[in-house]
Amino acid sequence: MRKLLTLGLCCLLAASWWEHSPAMALRRVLVTGGNKGIGRALCQQLAADHGFYVFLGSRDAQRGKEAVESILLKSPECQDRLQFLPLDVASDTSVAKAAEMLREQSEALYGIVNNAGVGFQTSMAETLNINTYGPKRVCDHFLPLIDPQEGRIVNTASASGPNYNSAAASAERAMLTSPDVTWEELDACMQKAIQEPAGRQPYGFSKACLIAYTMILAREHPTLKINAMTPGYILTDITRGMGASKPPEEGTKAAIYCLTGELKGNGWYYGSDALRSPIDRYRAPGDPPYEGP
């Protein structure tokens, strides 16, 4: 009898340890561009406030490690929930190597937040390579690591995307906002824009394309929750000197909702207030949510 009681107690203790061990208790999320701005704020909040294990992706190793140190200084309880991952979304080699690092650790991912991006001062080719092809690169390599039933992907877009669509040529607007858009159509449009920008604003165009890619990806992976969102008009390197004043910590609401909320749809675009928004025109925070097709 004593042996049975001892065995039972050992089983209970083992089960309790397994349930509360970091490997079991924490859902794992990759955040690209996590070394500064909204990305760093998001990494801290996910680890400190929402119980995630966070891979902080950064193309610059020193800045990435400094970001981890900065977060741990503010939230030392995240010591076992945060890891720097060298990752340059503009490089297929870098992304492939980062994915292999996680694969070798047998690390399954709950989610990806494609946050890395560039702003208004870069060429069409560079902007698309980072803001649109970058998230696709990450998804291509990391999707095999995503939980096939519970996994989520969040693409950081911008209100500049819907604003671009609202003024785009009719044929291009129809393609970029079609729920049936294909990658071949989108890629051809981007390649044409690289060769002939024809007055397109690179940043807004890249974000419109990212929203379209989000619809494609969601259609191809219906068991995952894949959505795009805008963090809002937040003071970052991209908006510095343009009148933005809200700190990065206020730009995480929509991303966190897309990772943790009870989502009713897939392939949608959310405003900074975490409410669904149209992709062919601007919806201001606080306005009623979009309820169209």
Side-chain angles (χ1 to χ4, degrees), residues 44 46 119 121 130 175 184 227 247:
Q44 177 162 353
L46 289 176
Q121 305 302 319
I130 295 173
M175 185 272 294
E184 290 72 23
N227 294 281

Side-chain angles (χ1 to χ4, degrees), residues 129-199:
N129 187 42
I130 295 173
N131 290 0
T132 314
Y133 287 109
K136 184 178 188 300
R137 224 172 257 122
V138 170
C139 290
D140 284 348
H141 287 284
F142 282 89
L143 262 171
L145 302 178
I146 288 275
D147 183 323
Q149 298 301 322
E150 301 293 332
R152 301 194 180 197
I153 296 174
V154 183
N155 289 328
T156 303
S158 166
S160 294
N163 281 340
Y164 176 87
N165 285 334
S166 69
S170 59
E172 186 168 279
R173 180 171 64 250
M175 185 272 294
L176 289 172
T177 59
S178 170
D180 299 318
V181 60
T182 67
W183 173 252
E184 290 72 23
E185 291 173 326
L186 184 60
D187 183 44
C189 181
M190 290 190 287
Q191 290 301 314
K192 181 179 179 181
I194 290 172
Q195 298 300 320
E196 303 173 7

Side-chain angles (χ1 to χ4, degrees), residues 52 111 120 125 211 227 252 261 283:
F52 285 96
F120 297 91
I211 294 171
N227 294 281
T252 62
R283 173 195 156 271

Side-chain angles (χ1 to χ4, degrees), residues 28-269:
R28 297 174 182 268
V29 173
L30 165 65
V31 178
T32 70
N35 59 290
K36 59 182 179 179
I38 296 170
R40 182 165 63 184
L42 180 61
C43 287
Q44 177 162 353
Q45 292 173 16
L46 289 176
D49 303 330
H50 296 276
F52 285 96
Y53 186 102
V54 179
F55 294 99
L56 185 155
S58 172
R59 66 183 177 88
D60 186 295
Q62 181 176 345
R63 290 181 180 178
K65 293 174 183 177
E66 288 174 352
V68 169
E69 292 173 359
S70 173
I71 292 172
L72 293 180
L73 190 63
K74 294 179 182 178
S75 304
E77 71 276 13
C78 296
Q79 179 68 46
D80 297 323
R81 309 180 205 163
L82 189 63
Q83 179 180 336
F84 162 64
L85 183 70
L87 175 61
D88 179 0
V89 303
S91 165
D92 191 70
T93 300
S94 173
V95 176
K97 185 176 180 180
E100 184 59 29
M101 288 175 64
L102 265 61
R103 190 176 293 108
E104 289 176 352
Q105 297 177 30
S106 299
E107 302 291 8
L109 285 176
Y110 167 78
I112 297 170
V113 181
N114 281 307
N115 169 77
V118 293
F120 297 91
Q121 305 302 319
T122 54
S123 68
M124 179 67 78
E126 183 179 359
T127 302
L128 287 173
N129 187 42
I130 295 173
N131 290 0
T132 314
Y133 287 109
K136 184 178 188 300
R137 224 172 257 122
V138 170
C139 290
D140 284 348
H141 287 284
F142 282 89
L143 262 171
L145 302 178
I146 288 275
D147 183 323
Q149 298 301 322
E150 301 293 332
R152 301 194 180 197
I153 296 174
V154 183
N155 289 328
T156 303
S158 166
S160 294
N163 281 340
Y164 176 87
N165 285 334
S166 69
S170 59
E172 186 168 279
R173 180 171 64 250
M175 185 272 294
L176 289 172
T177 59
S178 170
D180 299 318
V181 60
T182 67
W183 173 252
E184 290 72 23
E185 291 173 326
L186 184 60
D187 183 44
C189 181
M190 290 190 287
Q191 290 301 314
K192 181 179 179 181
I194 290 172
Q195 298 300 320
E196 303 173 7
R200 296 179 181 88
Q201 202 288 316
Y203 182 77
F205 177 66
S206 73
K207 295 301 185 178
C209 291
L210 180 59
I211 294 171
Y213 170 64
T214 302
M215 293 191 291
I216 295 168
L217 196 63
R219 199 172 65 237
E220 293 176 345
H221 301 276
T223 63
L224 304 180
K225 295 295 185 184
I226 302 172
N227 294 281
M229 59 83 203
T230 175
Y233 199 48
I234 303 298
L235 179 57
T236 65
D237 287 351
I238 290 177
T239 60
R240 197 172 306 279
M242 299 172 63
S245 59
K246 293 182 179 180
E249 290 74 17
E250 293 187 28
T252 62
K253 181 177 182 178
I256 291 173
Y257 176 73
C258 287
L259 278 177
T260 64
E262 294 292 329
L263 305 178
K264 297 180 180 180
N266 210 17
W268 288 3
Y269 165 71

